[in-house]
Amino acid sequence: VKEAMLKDSCTWDDDYNLGVIQVIRRQLVELAGGEQGYTAVLMQGSGTFAVESVLQTVIGLQHKLLIINNGAYGARIVEMAKRLGLSYHEIDCGEVSQPDLLVMEQILQQQSDITHIAMVHCETTTGILNPLTEVAELSQRYHKSLIIDAMSSFGGIPINVTNLGIDFLISSANKCIQGVPGFGFVIAREDKLAE
């Protein structure tokens, strides 16, 4: 990675845009199991910056977010939602428990105004691995848009955004894919991104 960075590139050069950036975007989508209809958005900033960019861009005043919080990064999503003035409901699981799927389903049944679900796949601070497949199934069953923070799992644990129906998967270049720090990225469904 460092050796590749020794070459200066200009953002307006085709060899950089077509030979580097577009290749990286395509490979990220492939790694995520994204078929047609997915794209990768590169973000110059930390993983937290990338998560905040999705929340602020995707969640509008007419939406309501269900946040699964069982660690420092779930709590950070709650803090972002507060500061952004988003409408949200938090499921606080503590720091050593996975979310109770029955409780989650009850909330989705009782609060039909929830439009999006956000969850950290692997909580970096504790290493707890949340039930992505089961949460994705609930998201699909109740027609909710799914936002996954996969900072500590993407590239290390297989995730197929197409099969799981993930609308926005957020990760960072410097974790499991061992790239340069300071870059985040979002694997997004193009139709959801266009909204």
Side-chain angles (χ1 to χ4, degrees):
V1 171
K2 287 183 178 182
E3 188 174 320
M5 291 173 60
L6 292 174
K7 181 180 183 232
D8 287 331
S9 297
C10 294
T11 56
W12 54 81
D13 290 346
D14 280 348
D15 63 338
Y16 178 67
N17 281 315
L18 300 178
V20 177
I21 298 299
Q22 296 306 328
V23 171
I24 289 170
R25 292 178 64 217
R26 186 173 56 253
Q27 289 176 339
L28 286 170
V29 171
E30 289 170 4
L31 184 59
E35 295 174 3
Q36 289 236 330
Y38 279 89
T39 189
V41 179
L42 306 182
M43 304 295 298
Q44 189 173 353
S46 68
T48 297
F49 173 81
V51 171
E52 183 179 344
S53 72
V54 170
L55 295 180
Q56 189 165 14
T57 303
V58 171
I59 312 294
L61 296 176
Q62 72 279 22
H63 298 127
K64 185 173 182 180
L65 178 64
L66 177 62
I67 303 170
I68 297 167
N69 173 13
N70 60 349
Y73 290 93
R76 188 173 286 181
I77 291 174
V78 172
E79 179 67 22
M80 287 177 198
K82 281 182 193 172
R83 291 180 182 255
L84 293 169
L86 303 179
S87 176
Y88 70 92
H89 180 93
E90 173 189 4
I91 298 177
D92 188 344
C93 310
E95 289 194 351
V96 294
S97 298
Q98 291 183 327
D100 184 324
L101 296 169
L102 292 175
V103 168
M104 186 176 169
E105 186 165 18
Q106 288 172 346
I107 291 167
L108 290 171
Q109 289 170 348
Q110 294 165 359
Q111 298 186 39
S112 60
D113 58 338
I114 290 172
T115 55
H116 296 73
I117 299 170
M119 180 180 76
V120 176
H121 182 210
C122 178
E123 264 292 348
T124 307
T125 50
T126 61
I128 194 167
L129 192 62
N130 283 317
L132 180 57
T133 301
E134 292 82 354
V135 170
E137 287 171 0
L138 280 174
S139 173
Q140 288 182 4
R141 188 177 327 140
Y142 288 92
H143 308 289
K144 308 304 178 188
S145 187
L146 185 57
I147 301 167
I148 297 297
D149 173 338
M151 293 300 155
S152 296
S153 59
F154 182 75
I157 298 172
I159 299 172
N160 187 303
V161 293
T162 302
N163 292 347
L164 293 170
I166 296 171
D167 297 306
F168 299 93
L169 182 138
I170 312 154
S171 194
S172 177
N174 64 311
K175 297 285 199 239
C176 295
I177 60 174
Q178 300 180 19
V180 60
F183 286 90
F185 55 87
V186 181
I187 310 294
R189 271 188 43 191
E190 291 175 335
D191 60 338
K192 294 291 185 177
L193 187 60
E195 287 178 18

